Amino acid sequence: MEMERRPGVPRLLREINDRSALDLLLASGPLTRGQIGEMTGLSKVTASQTLARLEERGLVEVVGEQGGGRGPNAALYAIVSSSAYVAGLDVGPELVTTAIADINGETVAELTVSPGGHEDPVAVVHSAVVKACRSAKVALSRLRSVVIGTPGVVDPRTGDVRFSFDLPGWHEGIHEALARDLRREVRIENDVNLAAIAERSAGIAHDADDFVLVWVGRGLGLAVMLGGRLHRGRSGSAGEIGYLPVPGVPLAEDIRSLPGRLPSLAGGLQSLVSVEAVTELAETYGFSGSSKAECVAAAVDAGAEGEPLLDEVAARLALGVASVCVVLDPGLVVLGGEVSRAGGSALATRVEEAVARICPIRPQVVTSAVEGNPVLRGAVLAALNHAREEVFSA
């Protein structure tokens, strides 16, 4: 377009206008040229030029018409959903779940597979992504970003898993190997951190700048959100709350004695809320279950008879929550994971009350409100953020 070569139309201004329109369409869905102009402050002429550029780039298209006003119906514009795709993965020791989403964030396929005894992370991830792409009818080459959630500590400087009890095969060099195998940008992130991203986007912590998410499932983890950004720490170890020393439990010693892996968490907070600890505790109150979540759910269903067990579990969790609160004072504490989901508000309320009894801060303690798999949801959101920056800024 000749007008775009004129000195009076700076390139930077065009880029800002394009991105404003794209962000608006992502947030609001299909809009007319007039609506885009009104909501972004662009003139009709500038809005028309912006949409023409975005159509030429293959990023927006006309998807319908809107009537009701004088004159002809106005064309409705939307982002071309197929302009880019992303993959998000939740990798655990027993199952790998992959979701493929389009640039609008709509999930087009979700597939859970078993590693089938394979210990090579590259082979496991490659197989999971290929199968999910096949299910979505999306070529692997169309993926603009892949984000993988794993348990363990991820070094933010290298992108590699430094150690993981549940995934011993994940180690330094895996990040580069995955990117080379998939031939695209790959990011590995701690699973609880991804759950926190999902919580801030579509959960109880929606748009909260400061909060912590305590993950109580098979293991114990913590994600810290400060100023709207994840705090990972220099080595990625921020949130390893299982190692927190607590009263009445011997201190762990020689915790770095095994190369590449951390030994038992005996001696830390984890030892009070481990599967063995909670199931043994449940038995003393007359409840049984194969997992912590089953024991807690049984206590909730039992009503008054289950309250003593819930009180004790809450008191143990409060030791960790209180320690975090006196250092960070986040104001909001979200309980996530299968145990927190099983305990619901009955457990969250007890944790809040227990924290208030042992420290000068009483945070609001609530249960996660993210539907489905929070780790997978966070992985997709993280992948979308990267893909949109890449595609929209091209």
Side-chain angles (χ1 to χ4, degrees), residues 87-92 96-98 121-122 124-126 128-129 145-151 154 159 161 167 170 174-175 177-179 182 184-194 375-376 378-380 382-383:
L89 289 83
D90 177 14
V91 178
V96 177
T97 301
T98 306
V122 176
V124 169
V125 170
H126 182 94
V129 172
S145 181
V146 178
V147 173
I148 303 168
T150 69
V154 180
V161 177
L167 301 173
W170 290 67
I174 294 300
H175 176 241
L178 285 168
L182 295 175
R184 66 204 65 259
E185 177 66 26
V186 174
R187 176 177 157 197
I188 305 173
E189 179 63 90
N190 172 265
D191 53 0
V192 183
N193 283 346
L194 291 177
V375 176
L376 187 67
V380 169

mmCIF file of all heavy atoms in Angstrom, residues 87-92 96-98 121-122 124-126 128-129 145-151 154 159 161 167 170 174-175 177-179 182 184-194 375-376 378-380 382-383:
data_model
loop_
_atom_site.group_PDB
_atom_site.id
_atom_site.type_symbol
_atom_site.label_atom_id
_atom_site.label_comp_id
_atom_site.label_asym_id
_atom_site.label_seq_id
_atom_site.Cartn_x
_atom_site.Cartn_y
_atom_site.Cartn_z
ATOM 1 N N ALA A 87 0.821 -26.186 21.810
ATOM 2 C CA ALA A 87 0.633 -27.425 22.560
ATOM 3 C C ALA A 87 1.026 -27.189 24.005
ATOM 4 O O ALA A 87 2.044 -26.560 24.296
ATOM 5 C CB ALA A 87 1.465 -28.555 21.972
ATOM 6 N N GLY A 88 0.195 -27.687 24.913
ATOM 7 C CA GLY A 88 0.499 -27.655 26.337
ATOM 8 C C GLY A 88 0.484 -29.078 26.863
ATOM 9 O O GLY A 88 -0.382 -29.873 26.476
ATOM 10 N N LEU A 89 1.467 -29.433 27.722
ATOM 11 C CA LEU A 89 1.554 -30.793 28.244
ATOM 12 C C LEU A 89 1.656 -30.793 29.754
ATOM 13 O O LEU A 89 2.320 -29.939 30.347
ATOM 14 C CB LEU A 89 2.774 -31.529 27.688
ATOM 15 C CG LEU A 89 2.773 -31.947 26.222
ATOM 16 C CD1 LEU A 89 3.194 -30.797 25.322
ATOM 17 C CD2 LEU A 89 3.703 -33.140 26.005
ATOM 18 N N ASP A 90 0.995 -31.761 30.367
ATOM 19 C CA ASP A 90 1.135 -32.055 31.788
ATOM 20 C C ASP A 90 1.771 -33.431 31.872
ATOM 21 O O ASP A 90 1.132 -34.444 31.589
ATOM 22 C CB ASP A 90 -0.234 -32.034 32.476
ATOM 23 C CG ASP A 90 -0.157 -32.419 33.949
ATOM 24 O OD1 ASP A 90 0.974 -32.447 34.498
ATOM 25 O OD2 ASP A 90 -1.209 -32.699 34.548
ATOM 26 N N VAL A 91 3.056 -33.459 32.230
ATOM 27 C CA VAL A 91 3.810 -34.709 32.244
ATOM 28 C C VAL A 91 3.974 -35.198 33.673
ATOM 29 O O VAL A 91 4.556 -34.520 34.523
ATOM 30 C CB VAL A 91 5.202 -34.520 31.602
ATOM 31 C CG1 VAL A 91 5.989 -35.830 31.665
ATOM 32 C CG2 VAL A 91 5.062 -34.056 30.160
ATOM 33 N N GLY A 92 3.458 -36.377 33.939
ATOM 34 C CA GLY A 92 3.605 -37.011 35.244
ATOM 35 C C GLY A 92 4.276 -38.356 35.091
ATOM 36 O O GLY A 92 4.567 -38.805 33.976
ATOM 37 N N VAL A 96 0.629 -38.738 30.630
ATOM 38 C CA VAL A 96 1.001 -37.503 29.944
ATOM 39 C C VAL A 96 -0.237 -36.998 29.215
ATOM 40 O O VAL A 96 -0.803 -37.710 28.375
ATOM 41 C CB VAL A 96 2.141 -37.736 28.931
ATOM 42 C CG1 VAL A 96 2.453 -36.434 28.182
ATOM 43 C CG2 VAL A 96 3.383 -38.259 29.638
ATOM 44 N N THR A 97 -0.667 -35.783 29.560
ATOM 45 C CA THR A 97 -1.843 -35.199 28.916
ATOM 46 C C THR A 97 -1.403 -34.028 28.044
ATOM 47 O O THR A 97 -0.651 -33.162 28.497
ATOM 48 C CB THR A 97 -2.861 -34.713 29.953
ATOM 49 O OG1 THR A 97 -3.261 -35.810 30.782
ATOM 50 C CG2 THR A 97 -4.105 -34.141 29.269
ATOM 51 N N THR A 98 -1.873 -34.030 26.808
ATOM 52 C CA THR A 98 -1.505 -32.987 25.852
ATOM 53 C C THR A 98 -2.762 -32.309 25.326
ATOM 54 O O THR A 98 -3.750 -32.973 25.009
ATOM 55 C CB THR A 98 -0.736 -33.588 24.655
ATOM 56 O OG1 THR A 98 0.372 -34.347 25.143
ATOM 57 C CG2 THR A 98 -0.237 -32.496 23.727
ATOM 58 N N PRO A 121 12.599 -38.958 28.008
ATOM 59 C CA PRO A 121 11.650 -37.841 27.933
ATOM 60 C C PRO A 121 11.374 -37.384 26.504
ATOM 61 O O PRO A 121 10.238 -37.023 26.177
ATOM 62 C CB PRO A 121 12.341 -36.745 28.741
ATOM 63 C CG PRO A 121 13.274 -37.461 29.654
ATOM 64 C CD PRO A 121 13.745 -38.647 28.881
ATOM 65 N N VAL A 122 12.384 -37.398 25.659
ATOM 66 C CA VAL A 122 12.196 -36.940 24.282
ATOM 67 C C VAL A 122 11.213 -37.846 23.548
ATOM 68 O O VAL A 122 10.291 -37.375 22.863
ATOM 69 C CB VAL A 122 13.547 -36.886 23.538
ATOM 70 C CG1 VAL A 122 13.322 -36.505 22.064
ATOM 71 C CG2 VAL A 122 14.486 -35.886 24.208
ATOM 72 N N VAL A 124 8.924 -39.798 24.891
ATOM 73 C CA VAL A 124 7.604 -39.695 25.517
ATOM 74 C C VAL A 124 6.873 -38.450 25.030
ATOM 75 O O VAL A 124 5.700 -38.504 24.631
ATOM 76 C CB VAL A 124 7.733 -39.673 27.051
ATOM 77 C CG1 VAL A 124 6.402 -39.298 27.700
ATOM 78 C CG2 VAL A 124 8.197 -41.024 27.566
ATOM 79 N N VAL A 125 7.558 -37.307 25.051
ATOM 80 C CA VAL A 125 6.927 -36.046 24.636
ATOM 81 C C VAL A 125 6.623 -36.066 23.144
ATOM 82 O O VAL A 125 5.540 -35.645 22.713
ATOM 83 C CB VAL A 125 7.835 -34.850 24.997
ATOM 84 C CG1 VAL A 125 7.307 -33.565 24.355
ATOM 85 C CG2 VAL A 125 7.916 -34.684 26.505
ATOM 86 N N HIS A 126 7.557 -36.548 22.350
ATOM 87 C CA HIS A 126 7.345 -36.589 20.897
ATOM 88 C C HIS A 126 6.097 -37.412 20.562
ATOM 89 O O HIS A 126 5.244 -36.970 19.777
ATOM 90 C CB HIS A 126 8.567 -37.204 20.206
ATOM 91 C CG HIS A 126 8.456 -37.242 18.716
ATOM 92 N ND1 HIS A 126 8.961 -36.247 17.905
ATOM 93 C CD2 HIS A 126 7.862 -38.144 17.873
ATOM 94 C CE1 HIS A 126 8.696 -36.544 16.641
ATOM 95 N NE2 HIS A 126 8.031 -37.690 16.599
ATOM 96 N N ALA A 128 3.534 -38.134 22.494
ATOM 97 C CA ALA A 128 2.319 -37.490 22.996
ATOM 98 C C ALA A 128 1.892 -36.330 22.104
ATOM 99 O O ALA A 128 0.703 -36.175 21.789
ATOM 100 C CB ALA A 128 2.550 -36.997 24.420
ATOM 101 N N VAL A 129 2.852 -35.514 21.671
ATOM 102 C CA VAL A 129 2.527 -34.356 20.834
ATOM 103 C C VAL A 129 2.038 -34.805 19.454
ATOM 104 O O VAL A 129 1.056 -34.277 18.924
ATOM 105 C CB VAL A 129 3.748 -33.426 20.701
ATOM 106 C CG1 VAL A 129 3.469 -32.317 19.677
ATOM 107 C CG2 VAL A 129 4.086 -32.802 22.051
ATOM 108 N N SER A 145 4.375 -22.919 19.544
ATOM 109 C CA SER A 145 4.960 -22.963 20.887
ATOM 110 C C SER A 145 4.515 -24.225 21.595
ATOM 111 O O SER A 145 3.383 -24.676 21.421
ATOM 112 C CB SER A 145 4.542 -21.730 21.697
ATOM 113 O OG SER A 145 5.112 -21.746 22.984
ATOM 114 N N VAL A 146 5.434 -24.784 22.397
ATOM 115 C CA VAL A 146 5.144 -25.972 23.187
ATOM 116 C C VAL A 146 5.617 -25.706 24.608
ATOM 117 O O VAL A 146 6.777 -25.365 24.830
ATOM 118 C CB VAL A 146 5.872 -27.219 22.631
ATOM 119 C CG1 VAL A 146 5.587 -28.432 23.519
ATOM 120 C CG2 VAL A 146 5.455 -27.494 21.190
ATOM 121 N N VAL A 147 4.713 -25.859 25.578
ATOM 122 C CA VAL A 147 5.061 -25.672 26.991
ATOM 123 C C VAL A 147 4.732 -26.957 27.737
ATOM 124 O O VAL A 147 3.630 -27.500 27.608
ATOM 125 C CB VAL A 147 4.307 -24.487 27.622
ATOM 126 C CG1 VAL A 147 4.557 -24.421 29.127
ATOM 127 C CG2 VAL A 147 4.755 -23.181 26.973
ATOM 128 N N ILE A 148 5.705 -27.418 28.515
ATOM 129 C CA ILE A 148 5.585 -28.691 29.223
ATOM 130 C C ILE A 148 5.637 -28.454 30.721
ATOM 131 O O ILE A 148 6.579 -27.830 31.230
ATOM 132 C CB ILE A 148 6.739 -29.640 28.828
ATOM 133 C CG1 ILE A 148 6.755 -29.846 27.308
ATOM 134 C CG2 ILE A 148 6.624 -30.975 29.556
ATOM 135 C CD1 ILE A 148 8.017 -30.527 26.801
ATOM 136 N N GLY A 149 4.625 -28.932 31.438
ATOM 137 C CA GLY A 149 4.602 -28.843 32.889
ATOM 138 C C GLY A 149 5.089 -30.140 33.503
ATOM 139 O O GLY A 149 4.605 -31.211 33.156
ATOM 140 N N THR A 150 6.066 -30.039 34.416
ATOM 141 C CA THR A 150 6.599 -31.228 35.077
ATOM 142 C C THR A 150 6.770 -30.954 36.563
ATOM 143 O O THR A 150 6.983 -29.816 36.974
ATOM 144 C CB THR A 150 7.983 -31.622 34.525
ATOM 145 O OG1 THR A 150 8.950 -30.638 34.921
ATOM 146 C CG2 THR A 150 7.962 -31.732 33.023
ATOM 147 N N PRO A 151 6.704 -31.985 37.399
ATOM 148 C CA PRO A 151 7.056 -31.809 38.806
ATOM 149 C C PRO A 151 8.571 -31.632 38.913
ATOM 150 O O PRO A 151 9.316 -32.072 38.041
ATOM 151 C CB PRO A 151 6.606 -33.121 39.456
ATOM 152 C CG PRO A 151 6.644 -34.111 38.335
ATOM 153 C CD PRO A 151 6.275 -33.362 37.092
ATOM 154 N N VAL A 154 12.801 -26.466 37.930
ATOM 155 C CA VAL A 154 13.230 -26.096 36.591
ATOM 156 C C VAL A 154 14.124 -24.865 36.694
ATOM 157 O O VAL A 154 13.713 -23.841 37.236
ATOM 158 C CB VAL A 154 12.024 -25.801 35.672
ATOM 159 C CG1 VAL A 154 12.508 -25.416 34.271
ATOM 160 C CG2 VAL A 154 11.101 -27.012 35.599
ATOM 161 N N GLY A 159 16.438 -23.601 31.438
ATOM 162 C CA GLY A 159 15.194 -24.215 30.975
ATOM 163 C C GLY A 159 15.114 -25.700 31.232
ATOM 164 O O GLY A 159 14.148 -26.349 30.852
ATOM 165 N N VAL A 161 15.127 -29.251 33.712
ATOM 166 C CA VAL A 161 14.739 -29.758 35.019
ATOM 167 C C VAL A 161 16.019 -30.096 35.781
ATOM 168 O O VAL A 161 16.821 -30.929 35.330
ATOM 169 C CB VAL A 161 13.851 -31.016 34.889
ATOM 170 C CG1 VAL A 161 13.524 -31.579 36.272
ATOM 171 C CG2 VAL A 161 12.570 -30.682 34.147
ATOM 172 N N LEU A 167 10.259 -37.830 38.076
ATOM 173 C CA LEU A 167 10.741 -37.985 36.711
ATOM 174 C C LEU A 167 12.270 -37.992 36.696
ATOM 175 O O LEU A 167 12.909 -37.031 36.261
ATOM 176 C CB LEU A 167 10.212 -36.848 35.823
ATOM 177 C CG LEU A 167 8.698 -36.707 35.712
ATOM 178 C CD1 LEU A 167 8.331 -35.444 34.950
ATOM 179 C CD2 LEU A 167 8.089 -37.928 35.033
ATOM 180 N N TRP A 170 14.428 -36.885 33.625
ATOM 181 C CA TRP A 170 14.498 -35.494 33.175
ATOM 182 C C TRP A 170 15.700 -34.831 33.841
ATOM 183 O O TRP A 170 15.761 -34.712 35.060
ATOM 184 C CB TRP A 170 13.204 -34.765 33.517
ATOM 185 C CG TRP A 170 12.046 -35.236 32.689
ATOM 186 C CD1 TRP A 170 11.468 -36.466 32.722
ATOM 187 C CD2 TRP A 170 11.344 -34.499 31.696
ATOM 188 N NE1 TRP A 170 10.439 -36.534 31.819
ATOM 189 C CE2 TRP A 170 10.339 -35.345 31.170
ATOM 190 C CE3 TRP A 170 11.461 -33.203 31.202
ATOM 191 C CZ2 TRP A 170 9.465 -34.933 30.178
ATOM 192 C CZ3 TRP A 170 10.582 -32.786 30.207
ATOM 193 C CH2 TRP A 170 9.607 -33.643 29.698
ATOM 194 N N ILE A 174 17.879 -32.060 28.449
ATOM 195 C CA ILE A 174 16.580 -32.490 27.907
ATOM 196 C C ILE A 174 15.886 -31.349 27.174
ATOM 197 O O ILE A 174 15.268 -31.554 26.120
ATOM 198 C CB ILE A 174 15.683 -33.042 29.029
ATOM 199 C CG1 ILE A 174 16.277 -34.340 29.591
ATOM 200 C CG2 ILE A 174 14.264 -33.285 28.522
ATOM 201 C CD1 ILE A 174 16.420 -35.455 28.578
ATOM 202 N N HIS A 175 15.990 -30.144 27.714
ATOM 203 C CA HIS A 175 15.338 -28.992 27.092
ATOM 204 C C HIS A 175 15.829 -28.799 25.658
ATOM 205 O O HIS A 175 15.039 -28.669 24.712
ATOM 206 C CB HIS A 175 15.618 -27.730 27.922
ATOM 207 C CG HIS A 175 15.062 -26.482 27.319
ATOM 208 N ND1 HIS A 175 15.859 -25.431 26.939
ATOM 209 C CD2 HIS A 175 13.794 -26.130 27.003
ATOM 210 C CE1 HIS A 175 15.105 -24.473 26.434
ATOM 211 N NE2 HIS A 175 13.847 -24.868 26.462
ATOM 212 N N ALA A 177 17.340 -31.023 23.804
ATOM 213 C CA ALA A 177 17.009 -32.207 23.016
ATOM 214 C C ALA A 177 15.564 -32.181 22.535
ATOM 215 O O ALA A 177 15.268 -32.572 21.397
ATOM 216 C CB ALA A 177 17.270 -33.465 23.847
ATOM 217 N N LEU A 178 14.659 -31.707 23.379
ATOM 218 C CA LEU A 178 13.251 -31.616 22.994
ATOM 219 C C LEU A 178 13.050 -30.594 21.883
ATOM 220 O O LEU A 178 12.317 -30.831 20.919
ATOM 221 C CB LEU A 178 12.404 -31.236 24.211
ATOM 222 C CG LEU A 178 12.153 -32.350 25.232
ATOM 223 C CD1 LEU A 178 11.555 -31.764 26.510
ATOM 224 C CD2 LEU A 178 11.226 -33.405 24.662
ATOM 225 N N ALA A 179 13.695 -29.428 22.022
ATOM 226 C CA ALA A 179 13.567 -28.392 21.003
ATOM 227 C C ALA A 179 14.132 -28.877 19.672
ATOM 228 O O ALA A 179 13.565 -28.607 18.599
ATOM 229 C CB ALA A 179 14.299 -27.124 21.459
ATOM 230 N N LEU A 182 11.561 -31.575 18.238
ATOM 231 C CA LEU A 182 10.299 -31.020 17.757
ATOM 232 C C LEU A 182 10.504 -29.885 16.754
ATOM 233 O O LEU A 182 9.550 -29.416 16.136
ATOM 234 C CB LEU A 182 9.456 -30.520 18.946
ATOM 235 C CG LEU A 182 8.977 -31.608 19.917
ATOM 236 C CD1 LEU A 182 8.272 -30.985 21.102
ATOM 237 C CD2 LEU A 182 8.057 -32.604 19.207
ATOM 238 N N ARG A 184 11.204 -26.717 17.183
ATOM 239 C CA ARG A 184 10.540 -25.459 17.532
ATOM 240 C C ARG A 184 10.820 -25.130 18.983
ATOM 241 O O ARG A 184 11.391 -25.934 19.728
ATOM 242 C CB ARG A 184 9.034 -25.539 17.279
ATOM 243 C CG ARG A 184 8.257 -26.511 18.154
ATOM 244 C CD ARG A 184 6.988 -26.933 17.487
ATOM 245 N NE ARG A 184 7.257 -27.704 16.278
ATOM 246 C CZ ARG A 184 7.184 -27.201 15.047
ATOM 247 N NH1 ARG A 184 6.814 -25.961 14.864
ATOM 248 N NH2 ARG A 184 7.455 -27.954 14.005
ATOM 249 N N GLU A 185 10.411 -23.920 19.377
ATOM 250 C CA GLU A 185 10.633 -23.468 20.744
ATOM 251 C C GLU A 185 9.867 -24.353 21.721
ATOM 252 O O GLU A 185 8.671 -24.597 21.563
ATOM 253 C CB GLU A 185 10.167 -22.015 20.890
ATOM 254 C CG GLU A 185 10.285 -21.438 22.289
ATOM 255 C CD GLU A 185 11.715 -21.305 22.759
ATOM 256 O OE1 GLU A 185 12.612 -21.174 21.902
ATOM 257 O OE2 GLU A 185 11.923 -21.329 23.987
ATOM 258 N N VAL A 186 10.572 -24.833 22.734
ATOM 259 C CA VAL A 186 9.971 -25.644 23.785
ATOM 260 C C VAL A 186 10.340 -25.024 25.132
ATOM 261 O O VAL A 186 11.484 -24.619 25.333
ATOM 262 C CB VAL A 186 10.482 -27.103 23.745
ATOM 263 C CG1 VAL A 186 9.949 -27.892 24.942
ATOM 264 C CG2 VAL A 186 10.062 -27.781 22.448
ATOM 265 N N ARG A 187 9.375 -24.957 26.010
ATOM 266 C CA ARG A 187 9.630 -24.418 27.343
ATOM 267 C C ARG A 187 9.147 -25.427 28.373
ATOM 268 O O ARG A 187 8.032 -25.944 28.270
ATOM 269 C CB ARG A 187 8.898 -23.088 27.524
ATOM 270 C CG ARG A 187 9.018 -22.483 28.917
ATOM 271 C CD ARG A 187 8.324 -21.148 28.949
ATOM 272 N NE ARG A 187 7.921 -20.775 30.298
ATOM 273 C CZ ARG A 187 7.031 -19.839 30.582
ATOM 274 N NH1 ARG A 187 6.440 -19.179 29.593
ATOM 275 N NH2 ARG A 187 6.709 -19.562 31.815
ATOM 276 N N ILE A 188 10.001 -25.705 29.354
ATOM 277 C CA ILE A 188 9.642 -26.578 30.466
ATOM 278 C C ILE A 188 9.393 -25.708 31.688
ATOM 279 O O ILE A 188 10.181 -24.808 31.989
ATOM 280 C CB ILE A 188 10.761 -27.598 30.763
ATOM 281 C CG1 ILE A 188 11.124 -28.388 29.503
ATOM 282 C CG2 ILE A 188 10.320 -28.562 31.865
ATOM 283 C CD1 ILE A 188 12.330 -29.295 29.674
ATOM 284 N N GLU A 189 8.310 -25.959 32.401
ATOM 285 C CA GLU A 189 7.948 -25.137 33.564
ATOM 286 C C GLU A 189 7.471 -26.036 34.690
ATOM 287 O O GLU A 189 6.880 -27.095 34.450
ATOM 288 C CB GLU A 189 6.848 -24.137 33.178
ATOM 289 C CG GLU A 189 6.361 -23.224 34.289
ATOM 290 C CD GLU A 189 7.458 -22.316 34.815
ATOM 291 O OE1 GLU A 189 7.617 -21.205 34.283
ATOM 292 O OE2 GLU A 189 8.154 -22.730 35.767
ATOM 293 N N ASN A 190 7.739 -25.636 35.900
ATOM 294 C CA ASN A 190 7.236 -26.357 37.068
ATOM 295 C C ASN A 190 5.717 -26.433 37.020
ATOM 296 O O ASN A 190 5.046 -25.451 36.704
ATOM 297 C CB ASN A 190 7.699 -25.654 38.342
ATOM 298 C CG ASN A 190 7.062 -26.219 39.581
ATOM 299 O OD1 ASN A 190 6.048 -25.709 40.061
ATOM 300 N ND2 ASN A 190 7.624 -27.284 40.118
ATOM 301 N N ASP A 191 5.165 -27.597 37.331
ATOM 302 C CA ASP A 191 3.724 -27.801 37.189
ATOM 303 C C ASP A 191 2.895 -26.889 38.089
ATOM 304 O O ASP A 191 1.842 -26.388 37.683
ATOM 305 C CB ASP A 191 3.364 -29.273 37.416
ATOM 306 C CG ASP A 191 3.906 -29.833 38.721
ATOM 307 O OD1 ASP A 191 4.568 -29.094 39.479
ATOM 308 O OD2 ASP A 191 3.689 -31.039 38.979
ATOM 309 N N VAL A 192 3.363 -26.643 39.318
ATOM 310 C CA VAL A 192 2.591 -25.793 40.226
ATOM 311 C C VAL A 192 2.612 -24.341 39.753
ATOM 312 O O VAL A 192 1.622 -23.611 39.890
ATOM 313 C CB VAL A 192 3.119 -25.909 41.668
ATOM 314 C CG1 VAL A 192 2.265 -25.077 42.621
ATOM 315 C CG2 VAL A 192 3.123 -27.367 42.119
ATOM 316 N N ASN A 193 3.715 -23.903 39.171
ATOM 317 C CA ASN A 193 3.769 -22.561 38.600
ATOM 318 C C ASN A 193 2.747 -22.401 37.487
ATOM 319 O O ASN A 193 2.081 -21.360 37.358
ATOM 320 C CB ASN A 193 5.170 -22.265 38.061
ATOM 321 C CG ASN A 193 6.170 -21.932 39.146
ATOM 322 O OD1 ASN A 193 5.792 -21.656 40.287
ATOM 323 N ND2 ASN A 193 7.443 -21.953 38.802
ATOM 324 N N LEU A 194 2.590 -23.436 36.663
ATOM 325 C CA LEU A 194 1.600 -23.371 35.591
ATOM 326 C C LEU A 194 0.185 -23.338 36.151
ATOM 327 O O LEU A 194 -0.694 -22.648 35.616
ATOM 328 C CB LEU A 194 1.768 -24.570 34.655
ATOM 329 C CG LEU A 194 3.038 -24.573 33.800
ATOM 330 C CD1 LEU A 194 3.125 -25.848 32.973
ATOM 331 C CD2 LEU A 194 3.078 -23.354 32.884
ATOM 332 N N VAL A 375 -2.818 -27.576 35.609
ATOM 333 C CA VAL A 375 -1.460 -27.596 35.049
ATOM 334 C C VAL A 375 -1.526 -27.530 33.529
ATOM 335 O O VAL A 375 -0.801 -26.751 32.887
ATOM 336 C CB VAL A 375 -0.702 -28.859 35.506
ATOM 337 C CG1 VAL A 375 0.668 -28.925 34.836
ATOM 338 C CG2 VAL A 375 -0.558 -28.870 37.022
ATOM 339 N N LEU A 376 -2.394 -28.317 32.937
ATOM 340 C CA LEU A 376 -2.554 -28.314 31.482
ATOM 341 C C LEU A 376 -3.061 -26.961 31.005
ATOM 342 O O LEU A 376 -2.581 -26.424 29.996
ATOM 343 C CB LEU A 376 -3.529 -29.420 31.072
ATOM 344 C CG LEU A 376 -3.676 -29.657 29.573
ATOM 345 C CD1 LEU A 376 -2.376 -30.201 28.988
ATOM 346 C CD2 LEU A 376 -4.832 -30.630 29.306
ATOM 347 N N GLY A 378 -2.636 -24.074 32.446
ATOM 348 C CA GLY A 378 -1.549 -23.113 32.546
ATOM 349 C C GLY A 378 -0.517 -23.284 31.444
ATOM 350 O O GLY A 378 0.030 -22.303 30.933
ATOM 351 N N ALA A 379 -0.247 -24.532 31.065
ATOM 352 C CA ALA A 379 0.716 -24.792 29.990
ATOM 353 C C ALA A 379 0.221 -24.207 28.672
ATOM 354 O O ALA A 379 0.992 -23.602 27.911
ATOM 355 C CB ALA A 379 0.953 -26.292 29.857
ATOM 356 N N VAL A 380 -1.059 -24.380 28.394
ATOM 357 C CA VAL A 380 -1.639 -23.828 27.160
ATOM 358 C C VAL A 380 -1.589 -22.305 27.189
ATOM 359 O O VAL A 380 -1.233 -21.658 26.192
ATOM 360 C CB VAL A 380 -3.083 -24.323 26.972
ATOM 361 C CG1 VAL A 380 -3.774 -23.550 25.851
ATOM 362 C CG2 VAL A 380 -3.095 -25.816 26.660
ATOM 363 N N ALA A 382 0.489 -20.351 28.836
ATOM 364 C CA ALA A 382 1.876 -19.920 28.672
ATOM 365 C C ALA A 382 2.322 -20.044 27.222
ATOM 366 O O ALA A 382 3.015 -19.170 26.687
ATOM 367 C CB ALA A 382 2.787 -20.728 29.592
ATOM 368 N N ALA A 383 1.915 -21.125 26.573
ATOM 369 C CA ALA A 383 2.263 -21.316 25.161
ATOM 370 C C ALA A 383 1.585 -20.269 24.282
ATOM 371 O O ALA A 383 2.183 -19.751 23.326
ATOM 372 C CB ALA A 383 1.855 -22.722 24.711
#
